[in-house]
Each structure stands twice: as structure tokens, then as C-alpha cells.
């Protein structure tokens, strides 16, 4: 069993091949010879103090991934949404339009099938499909395996399409530089407050399928107010990946993130990484 | 069901530190502002513990309430959601409720 994601390693596949998550990267689970025994014996047994963060292992992989991206000048964008919000259509158009000037590759996360990776390749970008089996999210460990296969080129952009789910992916840092959440107007405009963990951790909210606004009861302003209650610094853009409306602003935002990455990657600049457990 | 991954993580951390000994009880802190449901965690813990040093171990979940400090007036307030504003209108900084940690365990 993969200890990072809790799924059986044979269940997770990278481009249809077993990911062997328990064996790569040399992180063997060696037995420690110290027990952290502080001598607080109880009537039943020996009390062992652990004080260990449960997401620490994922965080460690996430920081490795981030270092990998920084060292190669690769902008990593994590795209998350509920199923059916239009992430793959958004990626297809982004690859065809923005991808003309910037090399783009894609890590596709889905429980099953390579349908999305096939669509991305047809749009003209290199793609690797990670199937999580019964798992509900990608984690940093799976992304590391996906990178082994995808090998994004220097100074490119990597777009990670997370498994459609507004709860679980919010918890797992993949090592990305920016997080984008996509909501479509066919969903409720109060979604941000219903799924606060997702929205508070994101940098940009893309409200998609705006071409359908005349036919649904979705108020853009209400959605933005709901989102800003959860995350006051959240940027918001309204787009239609289908018609192309609003996409230029999205491309400009991506360009800005690449420019920021250039500043981050200067040698001898130490950047603070918030959220990393102190023992790392 | 990310609780499955969290439960597997609990089992992994404890089994590694127990170094072969049988684990009788484990205490895990779960903050109320995390997206982790204690009931779901209990539900999958036994499944993950099966066949490991934690098989049959008792899982005790320590519930940590959400608290935040106002950046404007400095007052500490209770939070039930991972966001909000102080009564004075100031921004809140979460000080507790985001814990997801194995606190300790009892080994035979």
C-alpha cells in the first residue's frame, strides 16, 4: 500500500502502468532504533510520544516537486474543480492558444480511463495520465511519478488537472506554484462557502461557461462575494472556454505567474515556504 | 474519502515507531477546521490497521476547536468554519483547529 495516498500501489497507474509508489525515490521505510520513549508508563502499556503531522510526508514530496520545478524554471499550475466544470476544455483551448508561445505539458488526474490525456495530446501538448483507482485526489507522491515520465522541458508550463472533487484535493500540496479553482455557472453561485477549504487555498477563481449565463440562475456577483468571504485575496476571472470569451485575461495571468517564477528562480534568493512543518 | 489516506498515514507512522511492538491505543488530534471527518476516520482506521501492528488498536480522536485571533483588535474568537471576520470587522488569523497530528500511542 502506498503510505502517502493510502491506495494500493497496483491500483494507481501512470499511463496505464503500475506506479510502484512504495518503492521509488529511495524513501525506504527503515526501522528506527529509537522509540521516543519518555518513560510515561501506563497501566496497560508504554506511552510513546509522537507529535507527528499526518500530512508531513506529502509535504516533503511537495517541496521536492517544487524544487524540481524551480530548478528548471517550470511554472506548475494546479487546476481543481468539481467534476464537469470544464477543466479539460479549458486546457484544450489554453494549449491551442497560449501554448503557441509557451511550451505546455499536462498531468491528468482521473480515477480511471486515459480519455482526458488523449484529448490533451490531440490539442497538441505532451500529457501523462495518472489514474488514482478508488483514490479521490492526486498527491505529491503521484505527481513525482508523473514527472518521471512526463519530463517537462525547461522554462515551460506544467498544468496539473486534479481529480474532479472540491474537498479532498484541497488538503494536498502537490508542489505547484499556483492553485486555480474552476466553477461553472451550471453549479450554485454559493459554492465557495459550501467548500471553503478549496477556495481559501486558491490564488485564482475561474468562473467558466459564462456563455450559459442567460439560461441558468447563477449570479456572478453573488459567487464573487461568496468566494471573497472565504478568501479575501482571491483573484476572479469570468471565462467561457467554449467560446473563448475572457480567455485573454487568463493567459495574461499565466504570463504574470511565469514572470514571478523567473524572479523566484534567481540564484542565492531564499524564499520562505509557508506551511512546511518545522522539523523539515 | 481522503480519510482513508489519513488513516493509512496514522498506521504507517505508528507501525514504524512501534518497531515490531503491538500498538494498543493511538491518539490523533483532528482540528475542526480541517476537512477531515472524525467518524469517517474511525470507519476506515480498522480497515487500514488490519494485518499491521495496530490491528485491534483503539483510535482516540482529540477534537480541537477552531480559534482565531483578530489582526485588528487582537481578540481571540471561536470559529466553526475556516474563514470569517471579527465582530470589529478585522481579518482573522487561525490559531487552532487545523491540527492533523498523531499525538502519542500506547504499545504493549
Amino acid at each position: 500500500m502506498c503510505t502517502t495516498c493510502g491506495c494500493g500501489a497496483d491500483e494507481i497507474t501512470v499511463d496505464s502502468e503500475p506506479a510502484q509508489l512504495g518503492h521509488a525515490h529511495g524513501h525506504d521505510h527503515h526501522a528506527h532504533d529509537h522509540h521516543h520513549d519518555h518513560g510515561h508508563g501506563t497501566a496497560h502499556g508504554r506511552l510513546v510520544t509522537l507529535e507527528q503531522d499526518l500530512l508531513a510526508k506529502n509535504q516533503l514530496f511537495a517541496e521536492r516537486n517544487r524544487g524540481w520545478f524551480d530548478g528548471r524554471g517550470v511554472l506548475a499550475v494546479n487546476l481543481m474543480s468539481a467534476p464537469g466544470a470544464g477543466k479539460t476544455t479549458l486546457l484544450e483551448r489554453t494549449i491551442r492558444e497560449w501554448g503557441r508561445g509557451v511550451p505546455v505539458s499536462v498531468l491528468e488526474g482521473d480515477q480511471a480511463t486515459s480519455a482526458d490525456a488523449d484529448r490533451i495530446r490531440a490539442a497538441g501538448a505532451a500529457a501523462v495520465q495518472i489514474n488514482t483507482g478508488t483514490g479521490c485526489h492526486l498527491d505529491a507522491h503521484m505527481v513525482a511519478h508523473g514527472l518521471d515520465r512526463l519530463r517537462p522541458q525547461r522554462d515551460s508550463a506544467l498544468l496539473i488537472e486534479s481529480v474532479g472533487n472540491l474537498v479532498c484535493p484541497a488538503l494536498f500540496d502537490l508542489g505547484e506554484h499556483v492553485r486555480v479553482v474552476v466553477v461553472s455557472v451550471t453549479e450554485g453561485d454559493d459554492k465557495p462557502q459550501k467548500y471553503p477549504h478549496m477556495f481559501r487555498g486558491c490564488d485564482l477563481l475561474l468562473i467558466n461557461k459564462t456563455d450559459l449565463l442567460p439560461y441558468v440562475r447563477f449570479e456572478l456577483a453573488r459567487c464573487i462575494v461568496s468566494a471573497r468571504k472565504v478568501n479575501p485575496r482571491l483573484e476572479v476571472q469570468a471565462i467561457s472556454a467554449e467560446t473563448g470569451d475572457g480567455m485573454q485575461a487568463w493567459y495574461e495571468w499565466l504570463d504574470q505567474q511565469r514572470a514571478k517564477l523567473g524572479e523566484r528562480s534567481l540564484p542565492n534568493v531564499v524564499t520562505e515556504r509557508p506551511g512546511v512543518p518545522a522539523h523539515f | 474519502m481522503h480519510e482513508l489516506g489519513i488513516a493509512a498515514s496514522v498506521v504507517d507512522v505508528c507501525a514504524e515507531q512501534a518497531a515490531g511492538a503491538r500498538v494498543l491505543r493511538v491518539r490523533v488530534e483532528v482540528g475542526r477546521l480541517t476537512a477531515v471527518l472524525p467518524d469517517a476516520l474511525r470507519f476506515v482506521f480498522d480497515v487500514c490497521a488490519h494485518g499491521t501492528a495496530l490491528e485491534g488498536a483503539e483510535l482516540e480522536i482529540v477534537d480541537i476547536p477552531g480559534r482565531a485571533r483578530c489582526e485588528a483588535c487582537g481578540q481571540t474568537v471561536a470559529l466553526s468554519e475556516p474563514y470569517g471576520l471579527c465582530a470589529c470587522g478585522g481579518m482573522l488569523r487561525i490559531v487552532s483547529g487545523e491540527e492533523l497530528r498523531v499525538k502519542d500511542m500506547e504499545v504493549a
Side-chain angles (χ1 to χ4, degrees):
Chain A
M1 177 182 279
C2 172
T3 52
T4 306
C5 62
C7 307
D10 52 350
E11 198 179 54
I12 296 158
T13 61
V14 175
D15 274 353
S16 302
E17 287 174 24
Q20 296 185 324
L21 295 177
H23 312 287
H25 302 303
H27 58 286
D28 296 334
H29 302 290
H30 59 280
H32 286 206
D33 52 4
H34 55 287
H35 295 168
H36 298 293
D37 185 359
H38 298 269
H40 309 302
T42 70
H44 305 290
R46 191 163 47 88
L47 191 69
V48 181
T49 304
L50 295 167
E51 296 289 356
Q52 191 161 334
D53 193 320
L54 285 168
L55 294 176
K57 210 168 257 182
N58 183 72
Q59 199 62 42
L60 194 58
F61 277 111
E63 294 307 331
R64 277 180 68 138
N65 291 347
R66 202 158 5 245
W68 196 97
F69 296 135
D70 282 353
R72 289 163 179 78
V74 175
L75 173 70
V77 181
N78 185 2
L79 283 153
M80 296 174 283
S81 78
K87 289 192 299 301
T88 312
T89 305
L90 168 71
L91 286 179
E92 286 173 314
R93 186 177 276 272
T94 303
I95 290 159
R96 282 199 302 267
E97 296 179 350
W98 188 63
R100 279 200 290 263
V102 180
V104 176
S105 59
V106 176
L107 274 183
E108 273 290 340
D110 275 304
Q111 286 200 322
T113 84
S114 63
D116 280 2
D118 296 342
R119 280 175 64 184
I120 295 300
R121 289 184 195 117
V128 161
Q129 179 83 47
I130 301 174
N131 288 135
T132 57
T134 52
C136 49
H137 59 269
L138 290 175
D139 64 34
H141 195 176
M142 299 179 203
V143 168
H145 281 279
L147 290 174
D148 280 347
R149 182 165 291 251
L150 187 61
R151 297 259 153 217
Q153 67 185 83
R154 280 180 182 276
D155 302 315
S156 65
L158 172 72
L159 307 179
I160 305 169
E161 182 176 342
S162 278
V163 179
N165 179 339
L166 280 177
V167 184
C168 313
L171 246 69
F172 294 85
D173 185 352
L174 304 180
E176 70 277 323
H177 297 109
V178 281
R179 290 183 152 206
V180 178
V181 57
V182 185
V183 166
S184 62
V185 303
T186 51
E187 305 166 47
D189 50 23
D190 53 354
K191 216 147 206 186
Q193 278 169 284
K194 285 183 174 169
Y195 298 92
H197 293 93
M198 173 58 71
F199 288 82
R200 70 189 278 246
C202 281
D203 303 283
L204 174 69
L205 162 62
L206 287 178
I207 303 177
N208 191 22
K209 307 191 189 179
T210 50
D211 50 310
L212 299 180
L213 272 173
Y215 313 105
V216 292
R217 216 181 294 169
F218 184 99
E219 281 183 43
L220 274 178
R222 261 173 57 109
C223 184
I224 295 168
V225 166
S226 176
R228 292 252 166 86
K229 271 187 185 159
V230 175
N231 180 354
R233 63 174 184 85
L234 186 68
E235 293 181 66
V236 185
Q237 292 180 359
I239 58 162
S240 168
E242 187 67 32
T243 66
D245 194 38
M247 293 292 282
Q248 202 52 45
W250 156 240
Y251 302 148
E252 282 165 17
W253 189 86
L254 285 172
D255 286 332
Q256 285 166 16
Q257 305 313 310
R258 285 189 82 218
K260 282 186 200 166
L261 182 68
E263 292 159 21
R264 279 167 59 97
S265 299
L266 289 174
N268 304 322
V269 175
V270 179
T271 49
E272 200 181 326
R273 301 271 189 262
V276 183
H279 49 278
F280 291 127
Chain B
M1 277 303 280
H2 49 286
E3 283 82 1
L4 185 61
I6 302 294
S9 221
V10 172
V11 169
D12 184 48
V13 166
C14 294
E16 187 176 319
Q17 296 295 331
R22 200 162 67 83
V23 178
L24 304 172
R25 191 178 59 87
V26 53
R27 267 205 305 173
V28 177
E29 290 180 335
V30 178
R32 261 185 235 172
L33 304 181
T34 66
V36 173
L37 289 175
D39 282 347
L41 191 57
R42 275 190 207 98
F43 182 74
V44 291
F45 175 73
D46 289 344
V47 179
C48 292
H50 183 74
T52 73
L54 283 83
E55 183 157 351
E58 181 195 338
L59 174 67
E60 186 187 328
I61 293 177
V62 183
D63 174 53
I64 314 254
R67 279 167 6 103
R69 184 169 296 121
C70 175
E71 292 189 335
C73 72
Q75 193 163 346
T76 302
V77 297
L79 267 191
S80 58
E81 297 286 348
Y83 63 91
L85 285 177
C86 180
C88 80
M91 300 277 285
L92 293 175
R93 180 178 294 273
I94 294 172
V95 292
S96 78
E98 295 186 296
E99 296 77 3
L100 205 51
R101 193 162 50 206
V102 188
K103 189 143 182 64
D104 51 34
M105 66 178 175
E106 206 175 294
V107 295

